[in-house]
Amino acid sequence: MTAPDVTDVTDATDVLVLGGGPAGAWAALAAAEAGARVVLADKGYLGTSGAAASGGNNLWYLPPDPALRARAIAERERLGGLLTDHRWMARVQEETYGRVNRLAEWGYPFPRDDEGVERRSSLQGPEYMRRLRRRVHRSGVRVLDHHPALELLADADGTVTGAAGLRRQEGFAPWRLAAGAVVLATGGCAFLSGAFGLNVDTGDGHLMAAELGAELSGMEFSAVYGASPAFGNHTKGLMMQYATYYDADGTRLPARGLATRDVLASRLAEGREVYARLDLAPPALRARMRAAQPNYFLPLEKAGIDPFTEPYPLRLVLEGTVRGTGGIRLTGDDCATGVPGLYAAGDAATRELVTGAASGGGSLNGAWAISSGTWAGAGAARFARARGALPGHGALRAAGRAGLRPARSGTAPADRAAVDGLVAAVQERVLPLGLNWFRSAAGLRASLALLAERWAYASGELWARDGRTTLRAREASAMTAHARWSYTAALAREETRGVHRRTDHAASDPAFAHRLLVSGLDRITVRPDPVAPVLSGVTAGVAP
């Protein structure tokens, strides 16, 4: 089925939120609180889908102590390669503090320390998302579970006016919804597939925004790999601070804790095995670690391994912009994207403003989801209210192309094997540590040449008859576009900074102390971000 034209929009709302993780839930709540009619559509089930729902979530939650907050900002600025923005970081601190306190008012069961004070710097994903779902419903938001979005709708002036997608539980039948504004909170791109299936985080929100001209920022900071048991894909970096590492014959490696990824990556890139044992964890802490991150320990327990006393094999999983930085460039404090009517939050938006060139890990990413979701939802509600009546359905156009409407007519529909072949071809260029962790101009150019061929297929020929394959074709197209943006930006940044590592430019270069913006689909362009970061007084060498 090639995607149909927009002739049967069946409903309309003020604000449409795409994505049901924390960012999407907070966006829906903020839009509803602003008086907007809100619909939230998620690929899965609001409350259980997405990374946050599966385990513990640390938060960048700091009390309103100016000195404490300033030190936290300065530390992150240095770690982020001086690409963060002090003003945005302070905004995230303040918004996160207020919103997490609201969670407490809603009855979230925060644990208490020995003095009876609640510890609000972490959340248990299942309970967190369960309460957010309940609050979203009570706010009058209409929730569309199992409704993946495929594309955005726009009016004659290019203003975003809704979205279209498929209904999983109704035979992948199409849905279309007009809206005064749209919030993209659809996640980043993790590039997972193979034995573990195509991951739901495929960068499709990035593709939808780029098709209407949005720019992306920080895409070179996507070479983020997480350590996982070799027989699973659940990565929790915090666990590894208690690890010692061994080779296949049990010889201890010259690496321990968190600051060892280059050592591990070098060995794994050469095809040598690496084992970990969490034997640095104090015995009194081990039960709490299991309770805090049960999903990390579950596959180990199923394999009969006690990770505190027995070594287990490791692999490094490419988490892309889910744990990395890159995403849609924001053009305003309300998380506007530069495309009228389109707002971005969570992993869909760039996090350079608060994480710079480093991974946000769990705590900053969790705080960013709360804050950016709140700002985007409120901004979308204001835009929808100022916009007034929507144009007639006949005035809307569907913006999706790759995987939906091939540029060349007369091409045969793809089957599941063809789509899986595209995914595998992209992964061959982005998963290997020797290509993506250890980057070089020669390797990037070779990968980009092959990825250009895969994009020509995705944009020029790829479409499917049935809804299930159409969804996968669209996701595969988004992965392809994401890989090209990331590698194009990586080629342009001729230095090493944060999680972007160039073997041919091993040092940081002050000339690159700015952000890079990428845009385009068939032809990708790169330009420096004209907005200079706002640095704190500590980093700038001025007394705070």
Side-chain angles (χ1 to χ4, degrees):
M1 56 175 279
T2 54
D5 294 328
V6 184
T7 57
D8 58 346
V9 174
T10 57
D11 204 353
T13 190
D14 297 326
V15 174
L16 172 60
V17 178
L18 301 179
W26 284 107
L29 286 171
E33 289 171 356
R37 294 176 301 154
V38 184
V39 173
L40 184 152
D42 188 37
K43 288 181 180 181
Y45 181 86
L46 168 63
T48 62
S49 64
S54 63
N57 297 258
N58 294 321
L59 294 175
W60 206 38
Y61 176 86
L62 298 167
D65 179 331
L68 177 64
R69 290 186 175 184
R71 285 195 299 271
I73 287 173
E75 179 182 349
R76 287 302 310 189
E77 282 177 346
R78 287 188 288 268
L79 185 62
L82 304 184
L83 296 186
T84 56
D85 188 296
H86 176 226
R87 188 177 66 84
W88 276 80
M89 297 171 85
R91 293 181 69 213
V92 168
Q93 288 177 335
E94 184 65 20
E95 191 68 59
T96 301
Y97 183 76
R99 293 288 160 172
V100 172
N101 290 347
R102 288 193 67 187
L103 270 177
E105 294 171 5
W106 298 341
Y108 182 88
F110 287 101
R112 295 180 181 272
D113 61 21
D114 293 339
E115 297 179 357
V117 178
E118 288 186 341
R119 298 198 305 267
R120 298 183 180 179
S121 59
S122 65
L123 298 164
Q124 284 297 315
E127 181 66 17
Y128 175 35
M129 294 307 302
R130 184 178 73 84
R131 289 181 180 270
L132 278 183
R133 180 183 178 92
R134 179 189 301 170
R135 197 72 190 184
V136 165
H137 271 299
R138 289 180 176 177
S139 297
V141 175
R142 180 184 171 198
V143 177
L144 303 178
D145 294 311
H146 307 295
H147 277 61
L150 295 179
E151 59 184 333
L152 296 172
L153 310 179
D155 65 14
D157 295 328
T159 301
V160 172
T161 315
L166 298 170
R167 294 172 285 183
R168 289 181 184 271
Q169 294 182 321
E170 298 178 43
F172 289 86
W175 64 266
R176 294 172 190 82
L177 185 66
V182 172
V183 177
L184 282 175
T186 51
C189 189
F191 292 108
L192 290 178
S193 184
F196 301 102
L198 183 59
N199 190 275
V200 295
D201 292 318
T202 53
D204 45 358
H206 297 157
L207 178 58
M208 286 189 275
E211 287 172 328
L212 285 169
E215 291 182 301
L216 297 105
S217 183
M219 298 305 287
E220 67 272 35
F221 305 123
S222 56
V224 176
Y225 290 75
S228 164
F231 40 80
N233 65 352
H234 195 82
T235 59
K236 284 295 180 183
L238 196 61
M239 297 294 116
M240 309 316 294
Q241 67 182 303
Y242 301 111
T244 52
Y245 301 93
Y246 306 85
D247 64 16
D249 65 8
T251 301
R252 186 168 174 171
L253 301 177
R256 60 187 292 168
L258 289 172
T260 57
R261 295 292 171 84
D262 283 329
V263 174
L264 304 185
S266 296
R267 294 182 64 87
L268 290 169
E270 295 169 359
R272 293 187 287 174
E273 293 180 310
V274 172
Y275 291 77
R277 185 166 60 195
L278 305 182
D279 46 14
L280 299 180
L285 185 62
R286 296 176 182 184
R288 287 170 53 190
M289 291 170 64
R290 291 182 185 276
Q293 303 289 353
N295 281 11
Y296 187 85
F297 293 94
L298 183 60
L300 295 165
E301 292 170 352
K302 287 184 175 180
I305 297 172
D306 179 355
F308 298 108
T309 61
E310 301 173 74
Y312 58 95
L314 282 183
R315 71 183 187 118
L316 291 178
V317 177
L318 178 58
E319 298 178 301
T321 57
V322 171
R323 286 276 187 156
T325 289
I328 302 164
R329 184 200 182 203
L330 303 180
T331 60
D333 285 358
D334 57 359
C335 294
T337 65
V339 177
L342 184 63
Y343 297 77
D347 295 357
T350 181
R351 278 164 288 179
E352 280 175 301
L353 297 161
V354 295
T355 70
S359 169
S363 71
L364 262 75
N365 288 357
W368 177 249
I370 293 170
S371 302
S372 62
T374 299
W375 300 328
R382 286 192 295 270
F383 185 93
R385 184 166 55 250
R387 180 179 187 175
L390 299 180
H393 297 161
L396 302 184
R397 65 180 177 89
R401 293 293 177 266
L404 298 177
R405 300 176 184 85
R408 290 185 286 278
S409 61
T411 58
D415 57 15
R416 174 68 174 269
V419 177
D420 287 350
L422 174 59
V423 172
V426 173
Q427 290 176 323
E428 286 177 2
R429 306 311 305 181
V430 297
L431 293 184
L433 294 161
L435 293 175
N436 203 349
W437 184 292
F438 302 106
R439 294 169 166 177
S440 68
L444 290 167
R445 288 194 180 99
S447 294
L448 283 167
L450 292 171
L451 290 168
E453 295 176 2
R454 294 297 83 206
W455 175 254
Y457 167 68
S459 62
E461 302 178 33
L462 183 60
W463 68 282
R465 279 191 205 283
D466 65 285
R468 186 185 297 271
T469 308
T470 295
L471 175 59
R472 290 182 65 85
R474 185 62 165 162
E475 291 176 331
S477 299
M479 290 180 67
T480 309
H482 195 284
R484 295 180 70 225
W485 291 320
S486 297
Y487 276 3
T488 300
L491 184 62
R493 186 173 286 281
E494 296 178 337
E495 65 160 357
T496 291
R497 187 181 295 264
V499 297
H500 167 67
R501 313 164 195 86
R502 287 284 295 265
T503 58
D504 50 354
H505 296 282
S508 295
D509 185 345
F512 282 96
H514 57 77
R515 306 181 192 116
L516 296 178
L517 306 179
V518 296
S519 60
L521 294 167
D522 297 330
R523 179 177 178 270
I524 299 174
T525 60
V526 184
R527 70 182 183 94
D529 190 338
V531 180
V534 177
L535 302 178
S536 72
V538 174
T539 300
V542 179

